[in-house]
Amino acid sequence: NLTQRLAKVVKTMRGEARLTESNTAEMLREVRLALLEADVALPAVREFIAKVKEKALGEEVISSLTPGQALVGVVQRELAAIMGADLGPEAYELNFATQPPAIILMAGLQGAGKTTTVGKLAKYLKEEKRKKVLTVSADVYRPAAIGQLETVTKQVGADFFPSSANDKPVDIALAAVDYAKKHYHDVLIIDTAGRLGIDEAMMQEIAALHAAVKPIETLFVVDAMLGQDAINTAKAFNDALPLTGVVLTKLDGDSRGGAALSVRHITGKPVKFAGVAEKLDGLEAFDPNRMANRILGMGDILALVEEARKGVDVAAAKDLADKIKGGGKFDLNDFKAQISQMKKMGGLSGLLDKLPAQFQQAAGSADMGQAEKQVRRMEGIINAMTPQERAKPELIKASRKRRIATGAGVQVQEVNRMLSQFEQMQSMMKKLKGGGMMKMMRSMKG
Ligand code: GDP
Ligand code: MG
């Protein structure tokens, strides 16, 4: 597992203040291996490593992190970015900005999951986007293919345009477009034939379909289990057709999903959807951050963070954990200790830097500056209390509140608010039974 391997290298990199050519070389070798193990194709791996190297070199390392941990952060961020984390939400949306029907053409090898994905898309468009959807099959080579599309279409309650295996694919598609116009369908999804391998006749056929119907979306459907071969398939389809997006299917399998990176490398097009089940509700919006963690096998980066924290104040953390586990009460002295530990780790924003990107995104939408200010005010209030009051907050009645407020330079209401927030936190701590801040974060992960 990459996390373990990285953790080993991370240890040897302690005490250096920035990332350099020499202290990143070994780490990058591990990352390269991990990507190859995850079935990312070699050209995509090379490009990625070069990019990370460029980003990482010279990057300052936050005081409580080792260069190794900092590099893990760069790797995760860059991987997510390459797979589209930096694109706006519109990059993942299907485009409907055309005279109806908006035509979606499905392309991909046989068995990739095209027909299933048509059913899933029809369901999604009907239920989430309130579209009137028509489907049609231009797969005239396998007699069962047309019936399969009819079945999934009826299952999701969309409309199906019947076709015959004796007709030509282009004629079928044009007849369906005509029908969709007459019946005011918003969307027409055209399912196509695939072959087991890349084949010139198949490419010509789908290119001809594309030219005839001029779809607004041309989705390349690719099986995540395809591994290294994904890159050749993607290249063939990308050369034959102006793709607008990718659907990565069978992510519920045990592949590490390296195909996502390979396909992105070749097509430059965003993965718009992920297939996560055979069932027709098994379609999800693609999540680049989650995919990056999956490819790197890095879901457990929090273990690394905890490692960093241990270096900060292992004794204090253990005291606290023992205290709570032993049924002891989490009091304001403990709270004060937690705030100062957090400050040692670079404050709230420093803490944030160590979290996986999906947390960073979630927290990034909150106002960190504001939260930081809030914590400082809380600390000021706690500092204005006597040790006795911190150990027994229930002692704090009206006159003490006034004294504390004056001491901290805040209004009495703020002392009240702080005390009630603390009470909430106390009951949350009780539920968590030990572990404090880190445990709380880890519980957010699941
Ligand atoms: P097509 O030849 O490209 O039309 O592929 P199909 O839609 O017929 O799918 C081939 C097989 O893959 C079928 O057995 C599907 O049930 C299965 N399949 C498609 N998408 C997924 C997915 O996201 N997860 C899983 N587990 N199976 C899928
Ligand atoms: Mg099919």
Side-chain angles (χ1 to χ4, degrees):
N1 153 318
L2 181 69
T3 311
Q4 285 160 0
R5 286 209 309 242
L6 291 186
K8 220 184 284 163
V9 189
V10 159
K11 285 211 184 87
T12 69
M13 286 170 71
R14 280 198 201 287
E16 292 177 58
R18 61 181 65 237
L19 296 174
T20 63
E21 190 89 40
S22 66
N23 69 10
T24 55
E26 194 182 344
M27 287 282 290
L28 287 177
R29 254 194 315 276
E30 295 290 346
V31 171
R32 185 189 161 93
L33 281 176
L35 293 176
L36 289 171
E37 260 171 32
D39 266 339
V40 182
L42 190 57
V45 173
R46 283 208 191 104
E47 183 198 62
F48 176 71
I49 295 288
K51 211 171 239 167
V52 167
K53 207 163 151 183
E54 184 192 318
K55 283 265 152 99
L57 289 188
E59 175 139 323
E60 297 282 342
V61 175
I62 309 159
S63 60
S64 57
L65 285 187
T66 67
Q69 287 161 339
L71 186 62
V72 168
V74 176
V75 168
Q76 202 277 352
R77 268 201 311 276
E78 234 5 71
L79 191 52
I82 280 196
M83 286 188 299
D86 288 353
L87 303 174
E90 62 286 351
Y92 302 101
E93 294 281 338
L94 292 173
N95 189 354
F96 301 111
T98 180
Q99 194 89 312
I103 299 172
I104 304 176
L105 182 67
M106 310 299 284
L109 292 182
Q110 184 176 319
K114 292 182 299 300
T115 305
T116 310
T117 303
V118 172
K120 290 172 177 177
L121 274 175
K123 180 177 162 71
Y124 160 79
L125 292 173
K126 193 169 163 279
E127 290 174 7
E128 310 282 324
K129 302 280 174 185
R130 304 272 155 226
K131 301 286 185 193
K132 186 179 176 190
V133 181
L134 180 70
T135 74
V136 66
S137 173
D139 186 348
V140 294
Y141 304 97
R142 293 182 308 142
I146 298 172
Q148 185 195 350
L149 182 67
E150 179 170 16
T151 304
V152 297
T153 303
K154 299 251 156 93
Q155 261 176 35
V156 302
D159 295 334
F160 174 74
F161 184 82
S163 49
S164 152
N166 301 320
D167 294 336
K168 293 200 178 74
V170 169
D171 295 342
I172 291 172
L174 289 174
V177 173
D178 204 44
Y179 182 89
K181 277 184 188 152
K182 288 205 178 96
H183 294 82
Y184 305 102
H185 286 93
D186 303 305
V187 182
L188 168 65
I189 312 179
I190 304 177
D191 191 14
T192 63
R195 302 283 156 79
L196 289 172
I198 299 154
D199 158 321
E200 198 46 43
M202 170 179 74
M203 289 303 170
Q204 270 169 18
E205 179 179 298
I206 194 152
L209 266 174
H210 186 279
V213 302
K214 299 183 186 60
I216 189 155
E217 291 280 355
T218 303
L219 300 179
F220 172 51
V221 181
V222 61
D223 180 340
M225 315 277 270
L226 207 52
Q228 299 268 343
D229 283 343
I231 202 159
N232 301 322
T233 312
K235 186 163 181 359
F237 279 94
N238 192 55
D239 288 348
L241 293 168
L243 304 175
T244 59
V246 176
V247 181
L248 195 61
T249 61
K250 308 185 197 181
L251 272 173
D252 48 321
D254 53 11
S255 85
R256 292 270 296 282
L261 189 57
S262 306
V263 169
R264 173 88 191 155
H265 167 82
I266 287 294
T267 67
K269 298 299 178 335
V271 180
K272 295 194 174 187
F273 296 98
V276 295
E278 278 188 74
K279 285 185 307 184
L280 297 176
D281 56 4
L283 189 72
E284 289 181 355
F286 181 72
D287 181 339
N289 283 307
R290 243 168 67 194
M291 200 67 224
N293 290 347
R294 176 172 178 152
I295 290 177
L296 290 169
M298 216 164 75
D300 213 17
I301 196 173
L302 282 176
L304 286 178
V305 175
E306 186 134 41
E307 187 104 354
R309 176 168 161 273
K310 271 186 200 148
V312 175
D313 212 341
V314 69
K318 192 169 179 313
D319 277 359
L320 180 61
D322 288 350
K323 191 168 179 183
I324 295 170
K325 255 188 232 136
K329 224 170 88 191
F330 177 75
D331 64 21
L332 282 164
N333 284 312
D334 302 319
F335 190 33
K336 186 167 140 63
Q338 291 238 325
I339 292 177
S340 82
Q341 265 184 45
M342 190 178 69
K343 274 166 56 186
K344 276 192 222 162
M345 290 182 71
L348 277 177
S349 40
L351 208 56
L352 197 63
D353 280 333
K354 301 178 191 69
L355 295 181
Q358 68 263 40
F359 292 115
Q360 291 188 6
Q361 248 171 16
S365 53
D367 186 342
M368 284 312 280
Q370 197 56 37
E372 200 109 31
K373 224 180 261 170
Q374 182 77 15
V375 170
R376 268 204 300 278
R377 287 177 88 94
M378 281 183 154
E379 196 184 18
I381 296 171
I382 299 175
N383 283 341
M385 296 173 182
T386 67
Q388 227 180 350
E389 286 165 345
R390 286 180 209 144
K392 273 192 163 185
E394 57 274 22
L395 286 177
I396 306 173
K397 298 273 156 31
S399 70
R400 288 182 191 248
K401 277 180 193 167
R402 273 197 301 277
R403 195 205 75 237
I404 292 166
T406 313
V410 300
Q411 302 285 320
V412 173
Q413 295 96 289
E414 212 167 327
V415 177
N416 283 330
R417 195 169 346 119
M418 192 255 141
L419 285 170
S420 79
Q421 279 171 342
F422 171 74
E423 248 168 60
Q424 281 170 20
M425 190 164 162
Q426 207 174 23
S427 71
M428 191 153 75
M429 288 284 186
K430 231 178 246 157
K431 281 193 206 111
L432 288 171
K433 278 238 177 64
M437 206 101 73
M438 280 301 152
K439 180 106 177 224
M440 235 186 313
M441 272 175 211
R442 225 180 298 128
S443 74
M444 281 162 31
K445 201 167 71 159

